[in-house]
Amino acid sequence: MPSRNYFENMNKGVKYMLVASFTFAIMGAFAKLASESVSSLEVVFFRNLAGVVIIGFAILKNPMTHKGGKPFLLFFRGFIGFLALLAFFYNIAHISLGDAMTYSKTSPIFTAVFAFVFLQEKLNYKTWVAISVGFIGIVFITQPSSLGLSKYDLLGIFSGVGAALAYTSVRELKNYYDTRAIVLSFMLSGTVGPIILFLIYPYFNAPELDFLLSDFILPKGIIWFYLTAMGIFATISQVLMTKAYGETKAGIIGAVSYSNILFSIIVGMILGDSFPSVSTNFGIFLIVFAGIMVAKAK
């Protein structure tokens, strides 16, 4: 019966996303462990280097076919995605895993705003309410003082904003490029970008830019294991997320994806993170609620 098949498919998609959310939290844990010995810039470099190799082999085996025509937008997608990922991994190294993941999960809220501004997508009043709730949640997590926001808060917000800009650009790029070309633009930016920053690091004395500039330190011993495991779990998570969206409605999967925050809090506490404060928990709740509302609206 159709209804029975629908629920079977929905459950399968939900299961895929739950496992994907868990494996993504594990990926974050290995990134956090690796960051104790190497910079977040280096973590991003190795994360993307593996992706370039994988996508490169896929393209050699099956060449891309697309009409192109948006090179600057393609570059922007890769560049802004790289910066957002760098901010995300820097926060993983310096704040609790749950907080870092929560900041990154604000991207659907910002994506809705950017789609309205740049793509002229119409938003109903429920979506605007969700966006407002999401911003209130960000305030509760950042808890701004008279001195303003901390560097971690600013980078956390940017990790969501940057990812949202990247996702918004993909909506336009998919009409012109093979999906692998779009992914490769991101992976190449995340590989070439760090190399350039490693090379110019000796010529700058800017401790406040430690999230952007650092020296390259060749990983040793167990760090190689952490970096390898990070790449494996990131790949597993990506595959499962793709399967999830192929099985069930995007709105349902988008809502379930917020389980990643819970998994990240638990995994982070195992690694030594403290339990989130009442204010932070309330902010997380508002962001999750807002994200689910945006996902439902779509």
Side-chain angles (χ1 to χ4, degrees), residues 252-292:
I252 296 174
I253 296 305
V256 176
S257 71
Y258 281 88
S259 61
N260 172 245
I261 295 176
L262 175 60
F263 290 133
S264 296
I265 291 174
I266 295 172
V267 172
M269 290 177 67
I270 293 174
L271 294 179
D273 292 343
S274 59
F275 188 74
S277 65
V278 174
S279 177
T280 299
N281 272 319
F282 186 60
I284 290 173
F285 168 77
L286 291 179
I287 288 174
V288 172
F289 179 72
I292 291 174

Short mmCIF file of all heavy atoms in Angstrom, two decimals, residues 252-292:
data_model
loop_
_atom_site.label_atom_id
_atom_site.label_comp_id
_atom_site.label_asym_id
_atom_site.label_seq_id
_atom_site.Cartn_x
_atom_site.Cartn_y
_atom_site.Cartn_z
N ILE A 252 11.75 16.76 6.38
CA ILE A 252 11.87 15.79 7.48
C ILE A 252 13.34 15.55 7.80
O ILE A 252 13.77 15.57 8.96
CB ILE A 252 11.17 14.47 7.12
CG1 ILE A 252 9.67 14.69 6.94
CG2 ILE A 252 11.44 13.40 8.18
CD1 ILE A 252 8.91 13.48 6.44
N ILE A 253 14.13 15.33 6.76
CA ILE A 253 15.55 15.05 6.95
C ILE A 253 16.26 16.27 7.54
O ILE A 253 17.12 16.14 8.42
CB ILE A 253 16.21 14.66 5.61
CG1 ILE A 253 15.59 13.36 5.10
CG2 ILE A 253 17.72 14.50 5.77
CD1 ILE A 253 15.65 12.20 6.09
N GLY A 254 15.89 17.46 7.07
CA GLY A 254 16.48 18.68 7.61
C GLY A 254 16.23 18.81 9.10
O GLY A 254 17.11 19.24 9.86
N ALA A 255 15.03 18.42 9.53
CA ALA A 255 14.69 18.49 10.96
C ALA A 255 15.49 17.46 11.75
O ALA A 255 16.05 17.76 12.82
CB ALA A 255 13.20 18.26 11.15
N VAL A 256 15.58 16.24 11.22
CA VAL A 256 16.31 15.17 11.93
C VAL A 256 17.80 15.48 12.03
O VAL A 256 18.47 15.07 12.97
CB VAL A 256 16.08 13.81 11.21
CG1 VAL A 256 16.92 12.70 11.86
CG2 VAL A 256 14.62 13.42 11.24
N SER A 257 18.32 16.24 11.06
CA SER A 257 19.76 16.54 11.05
C SER A 257 20.21 17.29 12.29
O SER A 257 21.38 17.28 12.65
CB SER A 257 20.13 17.35 9.80
OG SER A 257 19.62 18.67 9.88
N TYR A 258 19.26 17.94 12.97
CA TYR A 258 19.62 18.68 14.18
C TYR A 258 19.97 17.76 15.35
O TYR A 258 20.44 18.23 16.38
CB TYR A 258 18.49 19.65 14.57
CG TYR A 258 18.51 20.90 13.74
CD1 TYR A 258 17.84 20.96 12.53
CD2 TYR A 258 19.26 22.00 14.12
CE1 TYR A 258 17.88 22.09 11.73
CE2 TYR A 258 19.31 23.14 13.34
CZ TYR A 258 18.63 23.18 12.13
OH TYR A 258 18.70 24.30 11.35
N SER A 259 19.75 16.46 15.18
CA SER A 259 20.19 15.51 16.20
C SER A 259 21.72 15.55 16.32
O SER A 259 22.28 15.11 17.33
CB SER A 259 19.73 14.09 15.85
OG SER A 259 20.28 13.67 14.61
N ASN A 260 22.38 16.08 15.29
CA ASN A 260 23.84 16.21 15.32
C ASN A 260 24.31 17.04 16.51
O ASN A 260 25.36 16.77 17.10
CB ASN A 260 24.32 16.85 14.02
CG ASN A 260 25.78 17.20 14.04
OD1 ASN A 260 26.14 18.37 13.99
ND2 ASN A 260 26.64 16.22 14.15
N ILE A 261 23.50 18.03 16.90
CA ILE A 261 23.88 18.88 18.04
C ILE A 261 23.89 18.05 19.32
O ILE A 261 24.82 18.14 20.13
CB ILE A 261 22.91 20.06 18.17
CG1 ILE A 261 23.04 20.99 16.95
CG2 ILE A 261 23.18 20.84 19.45
CD1 ILE A 261 22.06 22.14 16.94
N LEU A 262 22.86 17.22 19.52
CA LEU A 262 22.80 16.38 20.72
C LEU A 262 23.97 15.40 20.76
O LEU A 262 24.63 15.26 21.79
CB LEU A 262 21.48 15.61 20.74
CG LEU A 262 21.31 14.59 21.88
CD1 LEU A 262 21.39 15.28 23.23
CD2 LEU A 262 19.99 13.84 21.73
N PHE A 263 24.22 14.75 19.62
CA PHE A 263 25.35 13.81 19.56
C PHE A 263 26.67 14.53 19.85
O PHE A 263 27.54 13.99 20.54
CB PHE A 263 25.41 13.14 18.18
CG PHE A 263 24.31 12.17 17.91
CD1 PHE A 263 23.60 12.21 16.71
CD2 PHE A 263 23.97 11.20 18.85
CE1 PHE A 263 22.58 11.30 16.46
CE2 PHE A 263 22.94 10.29 18.59
CZ PHE A 263 22.24 10.34 17.40
N SER A 264 26.81 15.74 19.32
CA SER A 264 28.05 16.49 19.51
C SER A 264 28.24 16.90 20.97
O SER A 264 29.37 16.89 21.48
CB SER A 264 28.04 17.74 18.62
OG SER A 264 28.03 17.39 17.25
N ILE A 265 27.16 17.25 21.64
CA ILE A 265 27.26 17.60 23.06
C ILE A 265 27.72 16.38 23.86
O ILE A 265 28.60 16.48 24.72
CB ILE A 265 25.90 18.10 23.59
CG1 ILE A 265 25.57 19.48 22.98
CG2 ILE A 265 25.91 18.20 25.12
CD1 ILE A 265 24.19 19.99 23.33
N ILE A 266 27.13 15.22 23.57
CA ILE A 266 27.49 13.99 24.28
C ILE A 266 28.94 13.61 24.02
O ILE A 266 29.71 13.32 24.94
CB ILE A 266 26.54 12.84 23.88
CG1 ILE A 266 25.11 13.15 24.34
CG2 ILE A 266 27.02 11.52 24.47
CD1 ILE A 266 24.08 12.16 23.82
N VAL A 267 29.32 13.59 22.73
CA VAL A 267 30.70 13.23 22.36
C VAL A 267 31.68 14.23 22.95
O VAL A 267 32.75 13.87 23.46
CB VAL A 267 30.84 13.15 20.83
CG1 VAL A 267 32.31 12.97 20.44
CG2 VAL A 267 30.01 12.01 20.27
N GLY A 268 31.31 15.52 22.90
CA GLY A 268 32.17 16.56 23.45
C GLY A 268 32.39 16.38 24.95
O GLY A 268 33.51 16.57 25.45
N MET A 269 31.34 16.00 25.69
CA MET A 269 31.47 15.78 27.13
C MET A 269 32.38 14.59 27.43
O MET A 269 33.13 14.61 28.40
CB MET A 269 30.09 15.57 27.75
CG MET A 269 29.23 16.84 27.78
SD MET A 269 27.56 16.56 28.44
CE MET A 269 27.96 16.16 30.15
N ILE A 270 32.35 13.59 26.55
CA ILE A 270 33.26 12.44 26.71
C ILE A 270 34.71 12.91 26.57
O ILE A 270 35.61 12.40 27.25
CB ILE A 270 32.94 11.35 25.67
CG1 ILE A 270 31.56 10.74 25.96
CG2 ILE A 270 34.01 10.27 25.66
CD1 ILE A 270 31.09 9.75 24.91
N LEU A 271 34.91 13.91 25.70
CA LEU A 271 36.26 14.45 25.49
C LEU A 271 36.65 15.48 26.55
O LEU A 271 37.79 15.95 26.55
CB LEU A 271 36.35 15.09 24.10
CG LEU A 271 36.23 14.15 22.90
CD1 LEU A 271 36.31 14.95 21.60
CD2 LEU A 271 37.30 13.07 22.93
N GLY A 272 35.70 15.85 27.42
CA GLY A 272 36.04 16.78 28.50
C GLY A 272 35.29 18.10 28.47
O GLY A 272 35.51 18.95 29.33
N ASP A 273 34.41 18.30 27.49
CA ASP A 273 33.62 19.53 27.47
C ASP A 273 32.65 19.55 28.65
O ASP A 273 32.17 18.50 29.09
CB ASP A 273 32.79 19.62 26.17
CG ASP A 273 33.66 19.84 24.94
OD1 ASP A 273 34.84 20.23 25.11
OD2 ASP A 273 33.18 19.60 23.82
N SER A 274 32.35 20.75 29.13
CA SER A 274 31.37 20.88 30.21
C SER A 274 29.97 20.89 29.63
O SER A 274 29.77 21.17 28.44
CB SER A 274 31.62 22.18 31.00
OG SER A 274 31.53 23.30 30.13
N PHE A 275 28.99 20.56 30.46
CA PHE A 275 27.60 20.56 30.00
C PHE A 275 27.17 22.00 29.75
O PHE A 275 27.49 22.90 30.53
CB PHE A 275 26.69 19.92 31.05
CG PHE A 275 25.28 19.71 30.58
CD1 PHE A 275 24.97 18.70 29.68
CD2 PHE A 275 24.25 20.55 31.01
CE1 PHE A 275 23.67 18.50 29.23
CE2 PHE A 275 22.95 20.37 30.57
CZ PHE A 275 22.66 19.34 29.68
N PRO A 276 26.45 22.27 28.63
CA PRO A 276 26.05 23.65 28.30
C PRO A 276 25.25 24.31 29.43
O PRO A 276 24.48 23.64 30.13
CB PRO A 276 25.20 23.47 27.04
CG PRO A 276 25.65 22.18 26.45
CD PRO A 276 26.01 21.30 27.61
N SER A 277 25.41 25.61 29.58
CA SER A 277 24.67 26.35 30.60
C SER A 277 23.18 26.43 30.23
O SER A 277 22.79 26.09 29.10
CB SER A 277 25.23 27.77 30.72
OG SER A 277 25.01 28.49 29.51
N VAL A 278 22.37 26.90 31.17
CA VAL A 278 20.93 27.04 30.92
C VAL A 278 20.68 27.98 29.74
O VAL A 278 19.87 27.70 28.86
CB VAL A 278 20.21 27.57 32.18
CG1 VAL A 278 18.74 27.85 31.87
CG2 VAL A 278 20.33 26.56 33.32
N SER A 279 21.41 29.10 29.72
CA SER A 279 21.25 30.07 28.63
C SER A 279 21.64 29.47 27.28
O SER A 279 20.93 29.64 26.29
CB SER A 279 22.10 31.31 28.91
OG SER A 279 22.03 32.23 27.84
N THR A 280 22.75 28.75 27.27
CA THR A 280 23.20 28.11 26.02
C THR A 280 22.21 27.05 25.56
O THR A 280 21.90 26.96 24.37
CB THR A 280 24.59 27.49 26.21
OG1 THR A 280 25.54 28.51 26.56
CG2 THR A 280 25.06 26.81 24.93
N ASN A 281 21.71 26.26 26.50
CA ASN A 281 20.74 25.23 26.16
C ASN A 281 19.47 25.84 25.56
O ASN A 281 18.91 25.32 24.59
CB ASN A 281 20.36 24.40 27.40
CG ASN A 281 21.31 23.23 27.60
OD1 ASN A 281 21.69 22.57 26.64
ND2 ASN A 281 21.68 22.95 28.83
N PHE A 282 19.05 26.97 26.13
CA PHE A 282 17.86 27.64 25.60
C PHE A 282 18.13 28.17 24.19
O PHE A 282 17.28 28.08 23.31
CB PHE A 282 17.44 28.78 26.53
CG PHE A 282 16.14 29.43 26.14
CD1 PHE A 282 14.97 28.70 26.07
CD2 PHE A 282 16.10 30.78 25.80
CE1 PHE A 282 13.76 29.30 25.69
CE2 PHE A 282 14.92 31.39 25.41
CZ PHE A 282 13.73 30.64 25.37
N GLY A 283 19.33 28.71 23.98
CA GLY A 283 19.70 29.19 22.66
C GLY A 283 19.74 28.06 21.64
O GLY A 283 19.28 28.21 20.50
N ILE A 284 20.28 26.91 22.06
CA ILE A 284 20.32 25.74 21.18
C ILE A 284 18.91 25.31 20.82
O ILE A 284 18.61 25.01 19.65
CB ILE A 284 21.08 24.58 21.86
CG1 ILE A 284 22.57 24.91 21.96
CG2 ILE A 284 20.88 23.27 21.09
CD1 ILE A 284 23.37 23.90 22.77
N PHE A 285 18.03 25.30 21.82
CA PHE A 285 16.63 24.92 21.58
C PHE A 285 15.99 25.85 20.55
O PHE A 285 15.30 25.39 19.63
CB PHE A 285 15.84 24.96 22.89
CG PHE A 285 14.35 24.86 22.71
CD1 PHE A 285 13.76 23.63 22.43
CD2 PHE A 285 13.54 25.99 22.78
CE1 PHE A 285 12.38 23.53 22.23
CE2 PHE A 285 12.17 25.90 22.59
CZ PHE A 285 11.59 24.66 22.32
N LEU A 286 16.21 27.15 20.69
CA LEU A 286 15.61 28.11 19.76
C LEU A 286 16.15 27.93 18.35
O LEU A 286 15.39 28.01 17.37
CB LEU A 286 15.87 29.54 20.24
CG LEU A 286 15.15 29.98 21.52
CD1 LEU A 286 15.53 31.42 21.87
CD2 LEU A 286 13.64 29.86 21.38
N ILE A 287 17.45 27.69 18.22
CA ILE A 287 18.05 27.49 16.89
C ILE A 287 17.53 26.21 16.24
O ILE A 287 17.21 26.19 15.05
CB ILE A 287 19.59 27.47 17.00
CG1 ILE A 287 20.10 28.89 17.29
CG2 ILE A 287 20.22 26.94 15.71
CD1 ILE A 287 21.58 28.97 17.57
N VAL A 288 17.43 25.14 17.03
CA VAL A 288 16.89 23.89 16.51
C VAL A 288 15.43 24.08 16.08
O VAL A 288 15.02 23.64 15.01
CB VAL A 288 16.99 22.76 17.56
CG1 VAL A 288 16.24 21.51 17.10
CG2 VAL A 288 18.44 22.42 17.84
N PHE A 289 14.66 24.75 16.93
CA PHE A 289 13.25 25.01 16.63
C PHE A 289 13.12 25.83 15.34
O PHE A 289 12.29 25.52 14.47
CB PHE A 289 12.60 25.75 17.80
CG PHE A 289 11.15 26.08 17.58
CD1 PHE A 289 10.19 25.07 17.62
CD2 PHE A 289 10.76 27.39 17.34
CE1 PHE A 289 8.84 25.38 17.42
CE2 PHE A 289 9.41 27.70 17.13
CZ PHE A 289 8.45 26.69 17.17
N ALA A 290 13.94 26.87 15.21
CA ALA A 290 13.91 27.71 14.02
C ALA A 290 14.32 26.93 12.79
O ALA A 290 13.68 27.04 11.72
CB ALA A 290 14.85 28.90 14.21
N GLY A 291 15.36 26.10 12.91
CA GLY A 291 15.80 25.30 11.78
C GLY A 291 14.75 24.33 11.31
O GLY A 291 14.56 24.12 10.10
N ILE A 292 14.04 23.71 12.26
CA ILE A 292 12.99 22.77 11.91
C ILE A 292 11.83 23.49 11.21
O ILE A 292 11.26 22.99 10.25
CB ILE A 292 12.49 22.02 13.17
CG1 ILE A 292 13.58 21.08 13.68
CG2 ILE A 292 11.22 21.24 12.87
CD1 ILE A 292 13.25 20.40 14.99
#
